[in-house]
Amino acid sequence: MTSDRHVNAARSKVFGEVAELYDSARPGYSDAMVTEVLAYTVLGDRAAVEVGAGTGKATVPFAALGIPLVCVEPDARMAEVLRRNTASYPNVRVEVGDFEQWRPGGRHYGLLFAASSWNFLDRDRRWDLVHAALAPGGAMALIRNPHGIHDGGLRVELAAIGDRHGITGSPHRFLACDLSGDKPGNWDQAWPDTECRRDGRFTDLRSVRFRQNLRYDTDRYLGYLASLSAYRILPDDHRDQALAEAGRLLDAHGGGIDVLQVTDVFLARAR
């Protein structure tokens, strides 16, 4: 039987197939989130390390503030776009490889952050790896961007398309009101707070949520869907059909979709 570890590792490598689409269609991260993370962090003269940096959606707002960054990205195709997006920031270094095989080489960091990549890491090793990379008192920030759909009828129809084509982890599970609370983590993936407390090597645990309403036109939303691992792992014909059906539906509903984008942040500090 294929383990969750191997499934997650495989899914983490599918984004490079559509690296340019990922970069153009995926939403970014708010300045307020970056401010919150840096207010919590005591960097001193230490650099930050980003795990699963992708094309730099979260990298750029940190880099623009002059934060020295080491970006670990498992897919060379994603790293190529990342290098282009950070070319004007000499404080950014990109290292290609899996975080599980990456070695700090004696370096200890003041901040480690992972934006939408934590769930792809080896669950048996990720807390050990984070703790080993951080200096005492160093901060970790785990960041996710789930969204909820404002139109309940549209959500039901989009979810039905996903069900017909065997899409697991569909982004159409939630209404905006499902994510309206102040407490992060009321979505499909387990919030890391409990796991972190059980580990015991971290302190000062905090959870923060930010919100913004976004409007996607049909083409951009289809690009967003096509960049998700749940769609990338489908056979090509199933994916194409699912996207075509979603496109017709969105065009019939005014040519786009309104969503509530939330940014959930988990913060902890190495003891």
Side-chain angles (χ1 to χ4, degrees):
M1 180 179 294
T2 302
S3 69
D4 289 344
R5 181 188 311 170
H6 292 127
V7 170
N8 280 341
R11 291 182 78 147
S12 72
K13 302 291 178 61
V14 298
F15 303 112
E17 300 169 354
V18 286
E20 296 289 350
L21 180 63
Y22 184 105
D23 191 51
S24 62
R26 288 289 188 104
Y29 294 89
S30 70
D31 291 340
M33 178 276 290
V34 176
T35 299
E36 182 78 20
V37 171
L38 292 179
Y40 176 87
T41 303
V42 181
L43 275 175
D45 59 356
R46 295 187 184 276
V49 60
E50 182 182 5
V51 179
T55 63
K57 289 292 182 179
T59 316
V60 169
F62 283 95
L65 296 175
I67 307 299
L69 293 173
V70 175
C71 300
V72 183
E73 167 51 43
D75 192 293
R77 298 162 295 184
M78 298 287 277
E80 182 178 354
V81 181
L82 173 63
R83 288 192 176 100
R84 185 185 71 211
N85 287 340
T86 58
S88 60
Y89 303 110
N91 51 315
V92 175
R93 182 167 76 252
V94 177
E95 299 186 9
V96 179
D98 294 330
F99 183 59
E100 290 85 348
Q101 278 72 55
W102 177 75
R103 295 292 179 268
R107 299 167 291 184
H108 289 91
Y109 295 86
L111 169 67
L112 180 147
F113 65 98
S116 300
S117 61
W118 180 248
N119 60 303
F120 293 115
L121 300 179
D122 184 342
R123 295 180 182 180
D124 294 332
R125 300 180 57 209
R126 56 191 182 184
W127 294 102
D128 292 338
L129 294 167
V130 169
H131 197 268
L134 287 173
M140 68 178 298
L142 307 180
I143 307 154
R144 282 300 309 267
N145 260 2
H147 76 232
I149 298 171
H150 284 287
D151 186 324
L154 182 57
R155 188 209 70 81
V156 169
E157 292 184 79
L158 286 168
I161 292 172
D163 290 343
R164 283 198 298 274
H165 294 282
I167 295 169
T168 59
S170 167
H172 307 127
R173 293 182 297 286
F174 305 109
L175 285 168
C177 60
D178 296 330
L179 300 171
S180 61
D182 291 330
K183 183 178 180 180
N186 55 332
W187 33 278
D188 59 328
Q189 294 179 13
W191 193 239
D193 183 276
T194 300
E195 198 175 326
C196 186
R197 290 183 189 279
R198 189 166 56 242
D199 179 274
R201 289 175 290 182
F202 299 85
T203 188
D204 193 16
L205 279 56
R206 304 183 193 179
S207 298
V208 189
R209 167 167 284 182
F210 302 92
R211 298 180 182 83
Q212 61 178 327
N213 287 304
L214 298 178
R215 171 74 179 179
Y216 289 85
D217 64 24
T218 297
D219 286 345
R220 187 179 179 198
Y221 196 69
L222 295 182
Y224 164 71
L225 295 181
S227 75
L228 298 174
S229 62
Y231 284 76
R232 298 311 318 156
I233 64 174
L234 291 175
D236 290 348
D237 56 341
H238 283 260
R239 180 173 59 251
D240 291 345
Q241 189 172 349
L243 292 172
E245 290 179 25
R248 289 192 292 270
L249 178 62
L250 293 179
D251 283 342
H253 281 74
I257 187 171
D258 295 298
V259 304
L260 172 67
Q261 188 81 47
V262 302
T263 301
D264 285 348
V265 185
F266 174 76
L267 299 165
R269 202 181 307 282
R271 291 186 186 276

